Amino acid sequence: MRELKTSLNYVSEHLLTCRKYKGYKMDITKRQMEIVSASIEIIAQQGYEKLTTKNIATRLGVTDASLYRHFNSKHDLIKMILSYFEHVSY
């Protein structure tokens, strides 16, 4: 579990850094970053099947409708997550 938390902290920090990284094509707001991080946590801890807008919203302490202010659809959220992992370099 400790390794998971360390990885998730890395994801959050990396997303913040990437917003400023020249040439990185993923525009992401701070709130979108929080949503992406919460989504990655849910997938890592419970599996993709449990990635629902309700579970994401509960983890963030917001309504699931408020998530749609930041992403037009769950599909767009998944694309953002995949885009993040596509650009991560270790």
Side-chain angles (χ1 to χ4, degrees), residues 13-72:
E13 290 172 20
H14 189 72
L15 283 169
L16 280 173
T17 304
C18 287
R19 289 192 313 169
K20 300 172 189 167
Y21 178 67
K22 204 173 191 177
Y24 193 76
K25 300 201 188 300
M26 191 169 87
D27 272 340
I28 188 167
T29 66
K30 184 177 179 189
R31 191 57 167 169
Q32 285 175 321
M33 181 205 63
E34 292 168 350
I35 295 167
V36 167
S37 293
S39 300
I40 292 170
E41 287 177 16
I42 292 168
I43 293 168
Q45 294 170 352
Q46 302 172 8
Y48 177 76
E49 303 80 31
K50 298 291 183 179
L51 184 64
T52 63
T53 54
K54 183 176 181 177
N55 287 343
I56 297 166
T58 299
R59 186 170 292 254
L60 293 171
V62 299
T63 64
D64 52 341
S66 70
L67 297 176
Y68 291 103
R69 291 186 195 133
H70 304 284
F71 293 97
N72 292 328

